[in-house]
Amino acid sequence: MGKSLITLEHISKSYDGQLILDDLNLDIHENSFVTLLGPSGCGKTTTLRIIGGFEKPDQGRVVFDGQDITSLAPNKRQLNTVFQKYALFTHMSIEENIAFGLKIKNKPDSYIKDKIRYALKLVNLEGFEKRMPDSLSGGQQQRIAIARAIVNEPKVLLLDEPLGALDLKMRQDMQYELKRLKEELGITFIYVTHDQEEALTMSDHIVVMNQGYIQQEGSPETIYNEPENAFVADFIGDSNIIRATMVRDELVDILGTKFACVDKGFGENKPVDVVIRPEDVELVAPSEGTISGVVTDLTFKGVHYEMDVEACGYEWLVHSTRLSEVGTKVGIKVDPFNIQIMNVPVSEDEEAISETI
Amino acid sequence: MKLFKNAKSAFLMASPYLAWAVIFIVVPLAMVIYYGVTDASGAFTFDNIARISESGYFKALCRSIALAFISTVICFLLAYPLGMILASMKLTRNTYLVTLFILPMWMNFLLRTLTWMTLLEGKGVINTVLEFLHLPTINIINTSGAIVLGMVYNFLPFMILPIYNSLSRIDDNVINAARDLGADSVQTFLRITLPLSVPGIISGITMVFIPALTTFAISTMLGGSKILLIGNIIEQQFTLVYDWHLGSGLSIVLMIFILLNMIIESISDKEGGIF
Ligand SMILES: Nc1ncnc2c1ncn2[C@@H]1O[C@H](COP(=O)(O)OP(=O)(O)OP(=O)(O)O)[C@@H](O)[C@H]1O
Ligand SMILES: [Mg+2]
């Protein structure tokens, strides 16, 4: 990964006395595809707006290529934005919308023309030059917003849920196109989404946010396989997240049964959360399992079966290509490598409690 | 069958408004046109309309157009920045402020104009104060300036409201997008904000220019009897001279001007702005 291009340092922002971003620190490397992932209202757009220059942080600095740009006007920043609600210029044709940035920069007409054709081809909307934005569907408008931003060849492209209005097929096509585009342009993408699958397939680096805090950042594999807390584990996909006790290094007590694991350094007899992905739960004969239970529900999901197994008072979510009928007694086994131990998330009141103890 | 029923009920629903429109719009209009194109004996003639070319009437028409135009321009120049300030404010505070600017509209129009008369008079409030302060007095009553002042004062809210409306409807992110694409604040204003507010500007212009063109109350009170507008002349035909035919004929001329004005405006509106 390249050198650091954008750095957010101790960014805080509140609206009407409500803290939206709290001491946010983030390093974005050159040529990376960084995704901000989090539930609605967690501050993703606000973070992008601060990077784009539409919002000034209450505290902290934004550094771009070694320069403090915290107070720099948006038009002076070497980045372009694809806005969440498209924000097309309704009084201009599609062609004029796309040409806007280039005309401001006084590019020659022939260059602009080529760029418009290139961009429309890229977003699969050839022949739309003379149409007005209002006459386009939401998905088409969204693609025009992408085209309008990329023709300017920015160093960094900020994309705020740019595929939100598209259907699944179009979405997948555009995901592919955007990745290709990124490779082609060789620029940095900062991408916002609340769709974990999209984040996992597209990014080099995922930043999971919740309530204005960064919960975890890392590669898609790390985020998926080694979530640091229950929020991340839960947000990144269906999971078995169970409150457990770390007996000692490499041994964890889950629902009263001791399981071997590979994590160390959590202390002895400490409360932890464990996450076990549904595809990592092995169903075996009752006698061979670490614990045993009964299948209570079965759904066919295409590639695999999804089963609920009631064991030790917990409803285990299991994905398997092998079917076990409802009512079957089964044993549950988990490979030690597939047990992910996480610190119990510190919410503010819990923190307060542990401090007073 | 269903359609017929719907059409019938739609007609029933609309009938009170239709009756209202017929009684208060169509009939008076028809009467104006009838009187306008007939003479005292009832014979058809264009003379009443043609008499606009007589120098007294023609001058009054030109003066009306000039004063209405000046008032509209002044209203626009005052209202646009104000509309921008109002639109850029937070919602809670701006409803309060917008009301403040609309407040004079709740007062009777004649009363408001009369107030200006007593303020501006030779021995009026303003001059009394100026005299008291040993400052030179102003002599503005019964001039075109006083009429323009009255027009601007009375019609300004009608310019502010539509402009404020169209400005406040522009999505912040559209402005942000322009900035994002490299436009500075002046370019953003000229290429985005101004064109997007054209519908508001046009209805503002219409709502100021037309009443300013036709008014006779303002010119009567603030212009004395010295400065006659076309509105005064028409009024006199009905209330003093009792020549309804000439009054109607001149009204038709005025209506043609208003229609022309509206046609030009609707064309420039359809073309996505005059800028
Ligand atoms: N201009 C504003 N004034 C007041 N509150 C705001 C403003 N902009 C955002 N907020 C609040 O800040 C919080 C974070 O908003 P933000 O738009 O960053 O969320 P988001 O993560 O982008 O969510 P979504 O996925 O729904 O777009 C929300 O609670 C929102 O209500
Ligand atoms: Mg958002």
Side-chain angles (χ1 to χ4, degrees), chain A residues 306-323:
Chain A
E306 183 175 293
M307 286 163 282
D308 285 344
V309 177
E310 173 84 37
C312 305
Y314 182 80
E315 191 114 297
W316 295 71
L317 187 70
V318 183
H319 289 172
S320 169
T321 50
R322 295 223 338 256
L323 165 128

Side-chain angles (χ1 to χ4, degrees), chain B residues 15-193:
Chain B
S15 55
Y17 306 102
L18 278 176
W20 186 88
V22 167
I23 296 168
F24 292 106
I25 300 174
V26 178
V27 171
L29 206 62
M31 283 171 71
V32 167
I33 292 171
Y34 169 76
Y35 277 107
V37 295
T38 52
D39 60 21
S41 66
F44 180 82
T45 174
F46 274 127
D47 281 357
N48 299 318
I49 296 172
R51 283 181 66 186
I52 189 67
S53 60
E54 285 176 22
S55 104
Y57 303 148
F58 189 70
K59 268 189 190 149
L61 179 66
C62 290
R63 189 181 296 126
S64 293
I65 292 172
L67 294 189
F69 179 78
I70 293 168
S71 305
T72 308
V73 170
I74 294 174
C75 278
F76 172 75
L77 293 178
L78 290 176
Y80 204 93
L82 199 65
M84 285 189 73
I85 293 168
L86 290 176
S88 70
M89 287 188 156
K90 286 237 175 342
L91 207 73
T92 45
R93 232 180 329 145
N94 80 2
T95 41
Y96 170 75
L97 262 171
V98 170
T99 318
L100 206 66
F101 282 100
I102 305 308
L103 212 61
M105 275 163 63
W106 297 351
M107 234 190 324
N108 182 283
F109 163 78
L110 292 175
L111 217 59
R112 272 179 291 162
T113 312
L114 213 61
T115 313
W116 274 112
M117 204 167 113
T118 55
L119 281 173
L120 296 176
E121 266 170 354
K123 294 259 171 268
V125 176
I126 291 179
N127 278 345
T128 310
V129 172
L130 287 175
E131 245 166 47
F132 179 77
L133 297 172
H134 300 289
L135 290 169
T137 57
I138 50 165
N139 201 3
I140 181 176
I141 190 80
N142 301 345
T143 66
S144 296
I147 297 179
V148 169
L149 178 73
M151 287 177 176
V152 170
Y153 177 74
N154 275 304
F155 303 137
L156 185 61
F158 298 104
M159 185 71 94
I160 295 175
L161 261 193
I163 287 180
Y164 161 72
N165 261 334
S166 66
L167 284 174
S168 62
R169 235 176 293 147
I170 300 174
D171 181 1
D172 274 352
N173 275 335
V174 170
I175 305 297
N176 286 342
R179 300 298 307 262
D180 183 78
L181 293 166
D184 59 34
S185 43
V186 176
Q187 287 167 322
T188 305
F189 174 76
L190 291 177
R191 296 182 191 210
I192 308 293
T193 315

Side-chain angles (χ1 to χ4, degrees), chain A residues 184-247:
Chain A
E184 205 175 298
L185 300 175
I187 61 173
T188 309
F189 272 36
I190 305 178
Y191 195 93
V192 163
T193 182
H194 57 244
D195 179 340
Q196 41 94 8
E197 221 170 282
E198 191 165 286
L200 290 173
T201 41
M202 296 182 77
S203 340
D204 307 325
H205 192 79
I206 297 179
V207 179
V208 184
M209 294 177 64
N210 189 31
Q211 296 179 347
Y213 290 96
I214 293 178
Q215 299 289 332
Q216 185 177 0
E217 52 176 313
S219 69
E221 291 83 359
T222 316
I223 298 282
Y224 188 82
N225 292 326
E226 295 155 36
E228 275 169 19
N229 61 44
F231 174 82
V232 176
D234 190 39
F235 197 77
I236 282 296
D238 292 334
S239 256
N240 298 290
I241 301 168
I242 309 165
R243 187 55 61 89
T245 309
M246 199 69 186
V247 181

Side-chain angles (χ1 to χ4, degrees), chain A residues 79 123 172 189 246 277 326 353:
Chain A
L79 40 82
V123 296
Q172 284 166 346
F189 272 36
M246 199 69 186
R277 295 284 171 198
V326 173
I353 290 167

Side-chain angles (χ1 to χ4, degrees), chain A residues 15-16 18 20 39-47 84 161 194:
Chain A
Y15 286 120
D16 314 321
Q18 199 191 348
I20 304 299
S40 188
C42 72
K44 306 183 294 290
T45 298
T46 308
T47 310
Q84 188 165 8
E161 310 207 21
H194 57 244

